[in-house]
Amino acid sequence: DTGVSQDPRHKITKRGQNVTFRCDPISEHNRLYWYRQTLGQGPEFLTYFQNEAQLEKSRLLSDRFSAERPKGSFSTLEIQRTEQGDSAMYLCASSFSVSGQETQYFGPGTRLLVL
Amino acid sequence: AQSVSQHNHHVILSEAASLELGCNYSYGGTVNLFWYVQYPGQHLQLLLKYFSGDPLVKGIKGFEAEFIKSKFSFNLRKPSVQWSDTAEYFCAVNLGSSNTGKLIFGQGTTLQVKP
């Protein structure tokens, strides 16, 4: 069990640029979640996948955000035309859902700074 | 909207002192409850969880939490803290009646233990 991994760990970009983050879940976990965390706050849900299907998106996820999980394994989160308000820690978590009881395991996060 | 409230934002204790961190949620239905911890420089780790059964749950490193349904609370306790418990603690709730496993987090409590 290698845990959830995320890449890159840090990203600095200029406003208006596009960025893409990758998350590799624990193998055989069928659910993958993305959260965003800003300083002094708890993580906020963005979206989640069950296998390759994106089942729910938060209202926090503007049209500039898109996420994919093409083969039900790794996932990418892309932010287009970044804004300074996008600066945050982006967290990925995975779980194996059985009978509505699941435990999410978190990756180290990608810290984004938009200048 | 459902929410999670952690009353103490910053707690400072001396080693061997007892700890209780408050967590209340606003949702009248079935919930699954979690406490996560984030040590300095590390990712979110699960401390303990409650799905059903005995409302007193024990987690890692001597932590325990009690689910009191009538009070919508899931307070975290440890009888004697150590310097190594210095970390940020997050309470999280999942709505057990929904098909989504998304977590709703509290703001977090920063615990500082003085040696």
Side-chain angles (χ1 to χ4, degrees), chain A residues 99-114:
Chain A
S99 306
Q101 295 186 352
E102 61 181 274
T103 301
Q104 293 178 34
Y105 296 91
F106 284 80
T110 294
R111 186 173 295 281
L112 173 66
L113 177 61
V114 181

Side-chain angles (χ1 to χ4, degrees), chain A residues 100, chain B residues 27 29-32 94-100:
Chain B
Y27 181 66
T30 303
V31 291
N32 299 319
N94 159 246
L95 306 184
S97 59
S98 73
N99 193 37
T100 172

